[in-house]
Amino acid sequence: MKKIILLFSLLLIFFTGCTSDEDYIDTVKSITFEDGTTVKTYVQDQIKYGEFYILNEKELFDNGYSSLLMPTLIYIAPEEVLKELKNMKIEMPKDTPVVWKIEGNTDNGKIITASNGDIQVRIPTTKNGDYIEINTANFKVVNLKNNVTFREEQLESSKLYYEFLLKHYYE
């Protein structure tokens, strides 16, 4: 009888712990920024920008196309830029599932990771009473292939190209 009660207690603790982490992650994913974007959408976009950078690093970023001139050309002569990007055979990232999990606990919060296997976003959170606080300036977007954190300007350049290509139905 004692073994059954012990087993039942362990199962109850295990399932309660899992639900708690899942609820915490779901709460963080649903946090909405002032512009109406949720953390979930923001993180998925960061993963796409990181993938775009990796896929096109040699064609775009190593050849100086991320200089100040290219963003200006996107607004002045989008047809010419689109033509050039098509000639370069720029690749778009595929939609891949994102796995969210708790990486660890801190003194006053948790570290959540969201990853598609190639790119990981580390999200530090702070528990403040009933609220969970986050700051995107503390997010880290990491290339898991070489364990290097993307710089903000790399992701911003990727975002510029990626959104430009989406706007012009690039495939």
Side-chain angles (χ1 to χ4, degrees):
M1 183 69 172
K2 288 182 182 180
K3 289 182 182 180
I4 293 173
I5 292 173
L6 180 63
L7 180 62
F8 179 72
S9 298
L10 289 174
L11 286 173
L12 183 63
I13 290 170
F14 174 75
F15 287 119
T16 303
C18 289
T19 303
S20 174
D21 284 351
E22 290 171 13
D23 289 345
Y24 194 89
I25 291 170
D26 288 341
T27 300
V28 170
K29 286 165 62 173
S30 68
I31 293 173
T32 305
F33 300 112
E34 289 180 12
D35 67 356
T37 305
T38 63
V39 169
K40 179 181 177 181
T41 301
Y42 179 84
V43 166
Q44 289 172 327
D45 287 346
Q46 295 301 301
I47 289 172
K48 286 180 185 172
Y49 305 149
E51 283 185 322
F52 184 86
Y53 189 91
I54 291 170
L55 288 169
N56 302 293
E57 184 173 8
K58 290 190 186 339
E59 293 82 6
L60 286 176
F61 305 105
D62 286 350
N63 291 328
Y65 281 98
S66 61
S67 69
L68 292 176
L69 177 61
M70 194 61 163
T72 304
L73 288 176
I74 284 177
Y75 295 107
I76 295 173
E79 295 82 18
E80 292 300 317
V81 173
L82 187 59
K83 181 180 173 184
E84 180 68 22
L85 293 176
K86 283 184 178 181
N87 288 337
M88 296 170 75
K89 300 198 183 332
I90 299 302
E91 295 181 57
M92 295 293 278
K94 308 261 187 285
D95 284 333
T96 55
V98 176
V99 176
W100 295 71
K101 64 181 182 177
I102 304 279
E103 182 178 278
N105 295 319
T106 63
D107 289 340
N108 56 354
K110 297 182 184 216
I111 304 291
I112 296 176
T113 60
S115 174
N116 71 346
D118 295 327
I119 306 294
Q120 179 186 73
V121 180
R122 297 184 79 236
I123 308 158
T125 65
T126 305
K127 187 88 164 116
N128 185 359
D130 291 338
Y131 298 98
I132 299 173
E133 298 174 351
I134 59 167
N135 183 344
T136 57
N138 297 329
F139 287 21
K140 300 282 186 238
V141 183
V142 179
N143 177 347
L144 294 176
K145 292 179 182 177
N146 59 10
N147 203 30
V148 172
T149 301
F150 286 97
R151 294 185 321 272
E152 185 177 338
E153 58 270 9
Q154 290 173 314
L155 294 172
E156 283 298 318
S157 294
S158 292
K159 176 183 179 180
L160 178 73
Y161 287 113
Y162 179 81
E163 291 182 355
F164 171 78
L165 291 169
L166 277 182
K167 180 180 176 182
H168 293 283
Y169 309 107
Y170 184 84
E171 291 183 26

